Amino acid sequence: MTSGDGGRRELILQVATRLFAALGYDSTSAAQIAEATGLSVEALGEEFGGKRELYLEIMEREYRAERGFLEKALEGASVETPEQTAVTVHRIVDQYLDFCLAHPEFPSLWMHRWLSDASDLTELERRYIRPQITFISNVLTPAVDAGHVGAPVDMKYTFWSVVWCVHGFCQSGVLDRAGDRQGVDDPVVLERFRGYLHRMVHRVALLPGSPP
C-alpha cells in the first residue's frame, strides 16, 4: 500500500539507500530510517510494508539503473572482429567503472552483501546479479566462440575480477607511500586505476592491439 505521495516515497528511498550503503541492511533499523527522514515507522510501513520490502525495492532500483546503463553503453557494440571485440570489452570496463562512480551506493550495498549482510534474503544474487552476468555473457559469447579473445580465457572470471577491483577501489581506494588513503576523489589516482583496469583486462583476455 502506498500513500500516493511520491515525494515522501522518494525521500524514504534516498535516505534508506544511504543508510543501507553506510551501515548495511542488518545494522540499519526501521527506526533509524524513520528518524533520518523525519517520518514515523508507521509511515514507512504505509509506503513499503517494512524494512525488508524497502530494501528489496532499493536493490531492484539499483539493478534497473545498472542494467539501463549497460544497455545504453553497449548499444550498437560489435564483436564481429577481434578489434571490435577489444573495443567492446574496454567499453564495458569503462562503463561499469563510470556507473559505480556515479552511483557510489551501488558497490557499497554489494560489499556489505559479500560480507553476509542480509543473508536471509537468499534470492538477491539470482534476481540481480545473474541477469547482468548473463547479459554481458550473451554480448561476448559470439566473440569467444569465434576465437576473438585469446584461448583459454575465462571471460566470466575476467569480468568478476573487474567487479571485485572496481568495488574495492570505489570503497577503499589505495594507500600511498605514506600510508594515506587515496581514492575516487583524486583524479590522478582515479585515472591511474582506470588505466590499470584496462591493462589487466586486455592482457588477461589476450586482446589484440594495445589497451586504451
Side-chain angles (χ1 to χ4, degrees):
M1 178 184 300
T2 66
S3 67
D5 185 346
R8 184 174 82 167
R9 189 176 183 84
E10 182 61 26
L11 172 64
I12 295 170
L13 285 167
Q14 290 183 7
V15 169
T17 297
R18 289 196 295 270
L19 286 172
F20 287 140
L23 305 175
Y25 173 82
D26 294 334
S27 297
T28 302
S29 67
Q32 286 174 302
I33 298 170
E35 181 179 1
T37 58
L39 300 170
S40 66
V41 173
E42 290 73 22
L44 266 64
E46 290 174 5
E47 290 290 351
F48 297 97
K51 187 180 84 164
R52 183 182 190 278
E53 291 77 15
L54 173 56
Y55 180 76
L56 287 174
E57 180 151 343
I58 287 169
M59 298 302 281
E60 174 73 24
R61 190 155 89 155
E62 293 295 323
Y63 161 75
R64 291 197 304 265
E66 182 196 18
R67 183 56 172 265
F69 203 86
L70 287 173
E71 287 179 351
K72 185 176 180 180
L74 293 175
E75 186 176 348
S78 174
V79 293
E80 292 183 1
T81 69
E83 291 74 21
Q84 289 173 335
T85 298
V87 170
T88 296
V89 168
H90 286 295
R91 186 187 299 182
I92 293 171
V93 171
D94 258 333
Q95 294 299 325
Y96 189 76
L97 175 57
D98 288 341
F99 175 80
C100 289
L101 293 172
H103 300 266
E105 74 283 354
F106 179 81
S108 182
L109 286 165
W110 282 106
M111 289 285 278
H112 281 294
R113 176 68 180 174
W114 295 347
L115 296 174
S116 299
D117 188 46
S119 58
D120 57 316
L121 301 176
T122 58
E123 74 274 20
L124 293 183
E125 282 72 20
R126 289 189 296 273
R127 186 181 296 181
Y128 302 124
I129 296 297
R130 186 167 62 181
Q132 308 294 50
I133 296 297
T134 299
F135 173 66
I136 293 176
S137 295
N138 288 342
V139 171
L140 295 177
T141 293
V144 175
D145 292 343
H148 296 164
V149 298
V153 173
D154 191 325
M155 291 303 295
K156 182 177 181 179
Y157 269 67
T158 298
F159 278 100
W160 267 113
S161 297
V162 170
V163 171
W164 297 328
C165 286
V166 169
H167 285 207
F169 177 77
C170 287
Q171 287 297 106
S172 301
V174 295
L175 299 180
D176 64 13
R177 292 182 178 180
D180 296 321
R181 196 172 299 280
Q182 299 176 315
V184 297
D185 294 330
D186 187 321
V188 175
V189 172
L190 175 58
E191 286 311 302
R192 182 178 176 184
F193 173 74
R194 187 185 298 272
Y196 166 79
L197 204 60
H198 281 296
R199 290 191 298 274
M200 178 187 74
V201 172
H202 197 90
R203 291 168 182 170
V204 168
L206 301 176
L207 297 171
S210 301

